[in-house]
Amino acid sequence: MDELNIEIGGVIENTFDYSLPPKELDKQLSERMSKVKSGEVKPTHELSMLGYALDFIDFAQQTVNIEMNFDEENLADLCEILGAIKESFAQEPPTNEILASYVKAVTGFFGVMIIKNLGGNWVETSVGISVTVNGTTAFISNRIAGIFSGNGEDENVLTEIYDQLRKQSGTTNA
């Protein structure tokens, strides 16, 4: 039965101001990564996830010409992009490495969107990095992997997750 237990680790305190535009976050991430390379600061999951999120923004701009940011208004665009990726993967299945890179990028983007708009933090779990909002942990990378794997998970599940977390957060953003 131990395989059914999910261990939730400590919440990762946010060290970036996610209200900033992506270009400013990218600049701050680059500065922080320079400090990691010089040994001044340690690498963190937050750094990785923000990097993946910014990679997804570049991907969306370059491949489908959609300018993404971390505002709620981009949730519909995110679902549309995921639907297109899912169709592409159904026609030509990706390697495990390519699938993992897409899951990380989308998880990073969606996670930053949640943190920016609903509050919350990254949290380490026994099944990977997740997002927690007011005590509710969302295992978004697992759901995103489910969308891409063709197991019947619909890309619009992200809207459902977001809406549930919004209720949990107590925010009334539309």
Side-chain angles (χ1 to χ4, degrees), residues 1-171:
M1 283 290 216
D2 283 341
E3 65 272 2
L4 298 178
N5 293 328
I6 298 174
E7 294 180 29
I8 309 289
V11 170
I12 300 168
E13 292 301 317
N14 296 328
T15 61
F16 289 92
D17 178 358
Y18 290 108
S19 67
L20 296 173
K23 288 184 192 239
E24 183 61 31
L25 285 168
D26 190 35
K27 180 180 172 189
Q28 288 185 6
L29 178 64
S30 294
E31 291 168 0
R32 191 89 49 90
M33 290 306 294
S34 293
K35 290 180 179 182
V36 167
K37 288 179 185 172
S38 71
E40 292 177 62
V41 298
K42 292 184 178 183
T44 65
H45 285 301
E46 183 189 27
L47 293 174
S48 298
M49 298 314 292
L50 180 56
Y52 297 140
L54 294 168
D55 287 347
F56 182 79
I57 288 175
D58 289 342
F59 166 81
Q61 180 66 49
Q62 293 172 11
T63 58
V64 291
N65 201 30
I66 295 177
E67 189 170 325
M68 302 288 282
N69 55 48
F70 301 113
D71 294 336
E72 285 187 345
E73 292 77 24
N74 276 145
L75 187 54
D77 294 326
L78 176 60
C79 291
E80 182 180 327
I81 292 168
L82 294 186
I85 294 169
K86 183 170 104 174
E87 283 182 33
S88 171
F89 286 175
Q91 294 172 8
E92 186 176 330
T95 64
N96 288 339
E97 293 81 16
I98 290 173
L99 179 61
S101 69
Y102 276 92
V103 170
K104 289 175 188 175
V106 175
T107 298
F109 180 84
F110 189 51
V112 170
M113 177 186 280
I114 290 167
I115 292 167
K116 174 188 176 187
N117 296 294
L118 305 178
N121 300 80
W122 295 107
V123 63
E124 296 179 36
T125 73
S126 58
V127 294
I129 191 84
S130 300
V131 175
T132 187
V133 175
N134 273 357
T136 299
T137 301
F139 303 96
I140 56 178
S141 62
N142 298 357
R143 300 303 288 272
I144 291 164
I147 292 167
F148 291 149
S149 69
N151 72 357
E153 189 83 79
D154 184 85
E155 59 273 8
N156 293 312
V157 72
L158 297 187
T159 301
E160 296 168 21
I161 292 168
Y162 193 88
D163 289 344
Q164 287 299 315
L165 290 173
R166 180 188 297 124
K167 289 175 189 171
Q168 186 67 27
S169 74
T171 62

